[in-house]
Amino acid sequence: MTNQTKYETHEHDVLIIGAGGAGLRAAIEGLAAGARVAVVSKSLLGKAHTVMAEGGIAAAMANVDKADSWRTHFRDTMRGGKLMNNWRMAQLHAQEAPERVRELEQWGALFDRTSDGDILQRAFGGHTFKRLCHVGDRTGLEMIRTLQDRGVQMGFDVFMECTIIRLLTDGKRVVGAFGYWREQGRFVVLKAKAVVMATGGIGKAWRVTSNSWEYTGDGMALAYDAGAELLDMEFVQFHPTGMVWPPGVQGILVTEAVRGEGGILRNKEGQRFMEKYDPKRMELSTRDVVARSIYTEVREGRGSEHGGAYLDISHKPAEYVKQKLPSMYHQFKELADVDITKGPMEVGPTCHYMMGGIKVEAETAASSLPGLFAAGEAAAGLHGANRLGGNSLSDLLVFGRRAGLGAAAYASKAPAASIDDAQIAEAERDMLAPFDRGEGENPYTVHRDLQEVMQNLVGIFRVEEDMTKAMGELEKLKARAARVRVEGSRLFNPGWHLSKDLKSMLTVSEAVTRSAMARKESRGAHSRIDFPKLDEQVWGRQHNLITRDGAGMKLQQIPVDAIPGELNELLADEK
Amino acid sequence: MADAILEVFRGNQEVGAAKQYTVPIAPGMVVLDALHYIQAHLEPDLAVRWNCKAGKCGSCSAEVNGKPRLTCKTRMDALPTDKPITVYPMKSFPVIKDLVTDVSWNYRVNKKIPPFSPKPKTDWKMYQEDMDRVQEFRKCIECFLCQNVCHVVRDHHKKEEFGGPRFFVRVASLEMHPLDNVSRVKLLKDELGIGYCNITKCCTEVCPEEIHITDNAIIPLKERVVDEYYDPIMKLVRKIRGAPKPD
């Protein structure tokens, strides 16, 4: 086979794409199951998006509120997701999260403690009880460092700063991936019996986002290109509190823990406006409700100086704020000249999280494409139409582990794969094309214009007319992305990297827009100005499903799985 | 809107030179924003590492006006504008391209450190007062600025026999973990070369997480090494008891 000689090639049982919480947890489980595991990441190890998670890991450990149980966590998750969740995932998640947290502790993580010496838990939006296990406001750092050290000690191979540009299939199943080393720009073939997609989200398609440069939807786009199904792509979460001023920091996350610790939202008239929108839960309402409330206040002329709301925690003792929210204290002090122990922060919605993604089976995290598994933000199902804060880190642990198990089990039975040289040649040709163009646009310009389209036309509030326009704009952007030109060499070239990321972002942007146009109701994070109500009869019973159909994108609807009787009773329970 | 002039290193380990760029200043702008402006508008192949742009991931380390900093937390309005702002890669690591350096040495050092190993039959009860000092070490975001400024690395190039401040902090987090059951004292002395550190506190000064690296991590670890290997009374006790020497 020609590629054996032409390209650097590695072979593993399980290849994990993405080194955040889900990918690392999958790797650990794959190793424990005896598989040879490789983890490939676009950045250095330990820099994945998980490191930015602040508030905590939701798990019904009942250390603080003794009445908590998996049943309540299940009910909160399903209600928060407006029943669009995969009920089985929500059940497994609620049942297994406490054990996954204990495991982290046994691997060396140090959570904040109760006076009894147990893991401390804090309140968060949409959770009935104090449920978030945390380390100040840097829980994600603790989690990623613990998983990273565990995985390194167990002995996985890590390919850092390596970007996957295509999944390789033998027509029926996934047999590996093709990528390139950012440092030298050299291509590499990664053969594997099973692949776990743990690539995170898509926020970089919007202008105002809490997401890092890595969040370009590559995992979803790679899976889609290879033939996997994408589910519920209309459900994009806008976190209610991102920084709004100064301009350079717009979108950077302000943790929900500020509200969990007692932070109050006010408009420019000093009104505590959540009284109007959710008098019962107030600031700790679900993220979709709080984000829409802030947006509405601003639109109706009651916004803060720079177009947000005021979030105030300064009524708490300064030392308490510094201890419980240290990185928020530093972030505002250093980047915005605001001392949050003395005065309010200015905050506004920021594109934060993708509930939709690769459709997976609850038990094994297997996608619809044999050999491909997915976990974490890249996968869909657990969070339905809206994710509760804290349920992401627990998702990564519970389903990262299940994906590692599922992939290792699959790999143990999968026959040796053969690589199709034609797929590699095509991917290489597409990747190098931007260097060969004598003229063409800078990929950064196309990216900026894509962000404007998604921000302005497919944002928090959506309407048919805007989205029709967005579809037209996306077509034009696709044509422009196909003609971008890259300057310089293949060595560590961010512009070249973006030329590929752009294609991924355009694929997921189209999937989001098509799905959002189809869902003619408002549910969770998906709000239609032209269809402001829930439609239980039609849309309460179906998901949107996206698949590739030749060169085009196909949208269809599939029924929501019926929730079994016993779990359904939990949901009916008013307590 | 006022402009700033940035002088950014372009090149690799063998060849390279600073190049000047004019960048418009916006309110609250940080040096990383200026580098992004250069990528988007002037030279898209400028190599820069970054992830969170919020001081949480430790990717965007560089030397700004000669000082090792996170570029995402270095405000442009805190720098003098009457001369160009210089941005160079971290000096202690080989340059891959422009501001991107080869930091793989750090990952190799990390592998030498035995992981957390809990005491048998623990009930996993830990108290906040026992954890505060360890949690300080766990704040480390691995920006490697401390490794970069440490003169043992920077001037004496002792990468093979020295671990560096980052990994003393990591060892401290394990050694002082309330439930850990392994000693890493021999490792500190022999493989991580803690004796090379002469506590000049350069590392503490550059730490963006404000970890008291020297006072809270390195000095207590040095004391443990001294107690174990150089304390004459302990030596005598071991001799009398016939305990094996920790060699």
Side-chain angles (χ1 to χ4, degrees):
Chain A
M1 292 222 289
T2 51
N3 66 60
Q4 299 288 352
T5 50
K6 186 170 171 191
Y7 301 101
E8 175 187 348
T9 300
H10 300 271
E11 194 166 352
H12 292 85
D13 298 324
V14 177
L15 172 68
I16 292 162
I17 307 176
L24 293 176
R25 189 61 190 81
I28 289 167
E29 208 61 26
L31 287 167
R36 292 169 305 154
V37 177
V39 178
V40 50
S41 69
K42 290 207 285 191
S43 289
L44 295 174
L45 190 59
K47 309 296 184 191
H49 223 286
T50 305
V51 81
M52 295 171 70
E54 293 164 355
I57 312 174
M61 306 185 78
N63 289 347
V64 175
D65 286 330
K66 302 297 174 198
D68 202 6
S69 72
W70 75 261
R71 292 180 177 82
T72 320
H73 192 182
F74 167 79
R75 189 178 61 202
D76 290 344
T77 300
M78 293 294 292
R79 284 186 180 167
K82 300 285 181 232
L83 306 185
M84 272 293 115
N85 324 56
N86 175 320
W87 64 265
R88 181 61 177 151
M89 286 174 86
Q91 182 186 24
L92 289 170
H93 168 254
Q95 288 174 330
E96 295 178 1
E99 190 49 37
R100 298 286 82 75
V101 172
R102 278 190 282 271
E103 225 162 44
L104 280 187
E105 182 163 83
Q106 287 155 16
W107 297 341
L110 287 163
F111 293 97
D112 289 354
R113 315 309 287 187
T114 67
S115 54
D116 295 334
D118 296 319
I119 294 174
L120 182 60
Q121 300 184 273
R122 66 158 52 116
F124 239 59
H127 291 282
T128 304
F129 296 109
K130 289 186 175 169
R131 190 177 283 148
L132 267 72
C133 309
H134 62 277
V135 189
D137 57 3
R138 54 161 192 87
T139 314
L141 172 65
E142 187 71 17
M143 180 161 140
I144 203 160
R145 208 61 87 225
T146 304
L147 293 173
Q148 173 187 345
D149 289 333
R150 176 86 181 167
V152 166
Q153 290 299 332
M154 288 176 79
F156 54 49
D157 289 335
V158 188
F159 300 124
M160 292 197 271
E161 295 189 325
C162 182
T163 297
I164 300 301
I165 58 175
R166 175 160 181 157
L167 285 180
L168 302 172
T169 65
D170 70 356
K172 294 188 204 72
R173 65 190 178 99
V174 173
V175 293
F178 184 57
Y180 83 98
W181 295 105
R182 297 195 66 197
E183 181 173 335
Q184 311 97 346
R186 205 178 62 226
F187 292 109
V188 58
V189 175
L190 301 169
K191 293 170 80 172
K193 291 176 180 163
V195 172
V196 177
M197 205 53 95
T199 45
I202 68 170
K204 271 291 160 188
W206 281 262
R207 179 169 54 80
V208 180
T209 177
S210 64
N211 292 173
S212 81
W213 73 270
E214 298 196 287
Y215 265 36
T216 51
D218 346 354
M220 294 176 205
L222 290 167
Y224 163 87
D225 284 339
E229 296 168 339
L230 303 181
L231 184 76
D232 289 342
M233 293 293 283
E234 66 273 35
F235 296 123
V236 179
Q237 179 169 79
F238 290 82
H239 194 290
T241 61
M243 293 177 81
V244 296
W245 184 261
V249 300
Q250 197 180 17
I252 293 179
L253 188 65
V254 178
T255 175
E256 189 168 329
V258 176
R259 285 172 286 137
E261 297 292 344
I264 290 167
L265 284 165
R266 290 198 178 85
N267 62 22
K268 77 167 180 194
E269 288 153 16
Q271 291 163 334
R272 193 172 175 186
F273 56 82
M274 286 310 296
E275 284 168 351
K276 272 188 298 191
Y277 301 99
D278 189 346
K280 200 168 153 206
R281 296 182 297 185
M282 302 284 275
E283 281 82 2
L284 289 181
S285 183
T286 48
R287 288 178 174 177
D288 52 338
V289 175
V290 182
R292 275 195 297 273
S293 305
I294 294 175
Y295 191 88
T296 304
E297 289 296 303
V298 175
R299 207 174 41 179
E300 293 177 1
R302 295 185 296 277
S304 63
E305 187 184 350
H306 300 104
Y310 293 109
L311 173 61
D312 196 359
I313 186 82
S314 64
H315 51 280
K316 295 269 177 188
E319 280 316 304
Y320 180 82
V321 172
K322 285 187 204 170
Q323 187 210 336
K324 299 307 280 187
L325 303 164
S327 65
M328 287 303 104
Y329 173 74
H330 287 287
Q331 187 171 309
F332 273 90
K333 192 138 190 136
E334 286 160 30
L335 300 178
D337 303 319
V338 169
D339 182 346
I340 67 169
T341 67
K342 296 205 173 86
M345 302 159 237
E346 265 193 276
V347 295
T350 179
C351 183
H352 184 58
Y353 187 86
M354 181 58 175
M355 274 74 71
I358 301 166
K359 184 173 181 288
V360 291
E361 272 178 29
E363 316 280 338
T364 61
S367 77
S368 59
L369 182 65
L372 181 67
F373 297 75
E377 193 171 348
L382 170 61
H383 309 291
N386 174 57
R387 175 173 72 79
L388 298 185
N391 271 0
S392 177
L393 292 187
S394 42
D395 173 11
L396 306 183
L397 295 172
V398 169
F399 293 103
R401 172 180 164 275
R402 283 184 166 270
L405 273 178
Y410 178 92
S412 71
K413 297 190 200 99
S418 66
I419 298 291
D420 176 6
D421 288 352
Q423 291 175 25
I424 291 175
E426 186 183 51
E428 178 173 0
R429 204 169 48 240
D430 287 351
M431 195 68 199
L432 294 178
F435 284 112
D436 301 333
R437 295 187 187 114
E439 53 186 56
E441 261 187 292
N442 177 348
Y444 286 91
T445 313
V446 184
H447 184 205
R448 194 188 58 215
D449 291 350
L450 168 64
Q451 290 181 320
E452 289 300 329
V453 167
M454 295 308 284
Q455 186 75 30
N456 299 330
L457 303 176
V458 199
I460 293 192
F461 282 102
R462 298 161 176 179
V463 66
E464 180 88 27
E465 190 190 345
D466 282 357
M467 290 189 284
T468 306
K469 197 172 158 203
M471 286 302 294
E473 294 297 323
L474 289 174
E475 281 308 310
K476 286 185 225 162
L477 287 163
K478 272 197 265 183
R480 286 168 61 191
R483 292 194 306 263
V484 293
R485 190 172 89 91
V486 172
E487 293 169 33
S489 75
R490 283 162 66 173
L491 308 180
F492 215 111
N493 187 334
W496 185 33
H497 203 283
L498 183 59
S499 72
K500 171 64 184 169
D501 286 344
L502 254 185
K503 291 184 185 167
S504 302
M505 283 188 274
L506 282 161
T507 300
V508 293
S509 296
E510 183 182 341
V512 169
T513 309
R514 279 184 191 278
S515 303
M517 285 176 81
R519 184 170 286 276
K520 293 185 169 40
E521 65 158 354
S522 291
R523 180 179 296 271
H526 173 68
S527 306
R528 291 280 302 252
I529 292 170
D530 42 355
F531 299 97
K533 293 204 166 71
L534 281 167
D535 174 2
E536 294 295 3
Q537 288 312 311
V538 179
W539 284 102
R541 295 178 182 181
Q542 57 191 17
H543 297 283
N544 278 319
L545 190 76
I546 294 270
T547 45
R548 191 166 63 84
D549 185 13
M553 193 174 272
K554 186 168 127 196
L555 172 71
Q556 57 193 311
Q557 282 77 41
I558 56 167
V560 172
D561 283 346
I563 303 170
E566 178 210 350
L567 294 176
N568 220 357
E569 280 165 31
L570 286 177
L571 295 174
D573 194 349
E574 261 314 303
K575 264 187 285 179
Chain B
M1 201 160 27
D3 288 340
I5 295 175
L6 261 73
E7 195 177 291
V8 183
F9 178 82
R10 301 296 312 266
N12 56 37
Q13 189 64 18
E14 282 77 42
V15 287
K19 192 166 171 187
Q20 289 200 348
Y21 303 92
T22 304
V23 175
I25 300 180
M29 192 176 193
V30 294
V31 171
L32 183 58
D33 291 321
L35 297 171
H36 285 163
Y37 180 91
I38 295 169
Q39 286 182 325
H41 297 95
L42 304 170
E43 284 187 322
D45 66 338
L46 170 66
V48 179
R49 273 201 190 101
W50 72 284
N51 286 73
C52 76
K53 213 176 101 62
K56 295 185 173 65
C57 74
S59 298
C60 63
S61 306
E63 304 198 357
V64 180
N65 283 350
K67 288 203 174 124
R69 309 286 306 251
L70 292 180
T71 58
C72 75
K73 283 175 81 178
T74 306
R75 292 266 295 257
M76 299 283 280
D77 55 15
L79 303 168
T81 46
D82 54 344
K83 53 187 175 194
I85 296 164
T86 65
V87 189
Y88 278 73
M90 286 191 284
K91 188 186 161 206
S92 298
F93 306 111
V95 178
I96 291 172
K97 186 183 161 199
D98 307 336
L99 301 177
V100 173
T101 55
D102 178 358
V103 292
S104 58
W105 166 66
N106 296 288
Y107 290 90
R108 288 198 299 278
V109 174
N110 192 39
K111 272 192 182 177
K112 295 180 188 170
I113 301 171
F116 169 65
S117 170
K119 292 172 181 162
K121 291 185 191 155
T122 173
D123 61 359
W124 298 100
K125 291 274 182 188
M126 285 182 265
Y127 296 91
Q128 194 61 47
E129 56 269 32
D130 300 326
M131 287 188 18
D132 284 338
R133 64 174 183 168
V134 192
Q135 285 186 327
E136 181 192 5
F137 305 137
R138 304 281 297 182
K139 289 197 303 186
C140 171
I141 56 174
E142 297 201 326
C143 63
F144 303 132
L145 288 173
C146 59
Q147 304 287 81
N148 177 47
V149 291
C150 177
H151 62 94
V152 181
V153 180
R154 195 177 178 100
D155 302 324
H156 303 289
H157 313 290
K158 294 214 178 289
K159 285 196 182 124
E160 290 318 306
E161 55 258 72
F162 186 64
R166 158 60 191 139
F167 296 102
F168 299 138
V169 166
R170 174 152 153 71
V171 170
S173 80
L174 293 163
E175 288 287 294
M176 298 181 204
H177 188 300
L179 300 178
D180 183 66
N181 202 34
V182 183
S183 171
R184 297 165 190 81
V185 174
K186 184 179 185 315
L187 175 93
L188 282 169
K189 176 176 163 288
D190 295 341
E191 290 187 60
L192 301 184
I194 195 168
Y196 284 113
C197 166
N198 57 4
I199 46 179
T200 52
K201 299 200 181 185
C202 309
C203 51
T204 305
E205 278 169 27
V206 296
C207 179
E209 288 293 311
E210 298 177 2
I211 300 170
H212 299 86
I213 301 175
T214 315
D215 290 348
N216 292 353
I218 296 180
I219 291 176
L221 291 178
K222 276 178 170 279
E223 284 169 355
R224 287 183 189 211
V225 172
V226 169
D227 287 349
E228 186 100 28
Y229 288 91
Y230 307 108
D231 182 334
I233 296 171
M234 288 305 292
K235 234 178 195 170
L236 192 67
V237 170
R238 276 195 292 268
K239 203 170 181 182
I240 293 165
R241 286 194 184 156
K245 271 207 245 171
D247 50 10

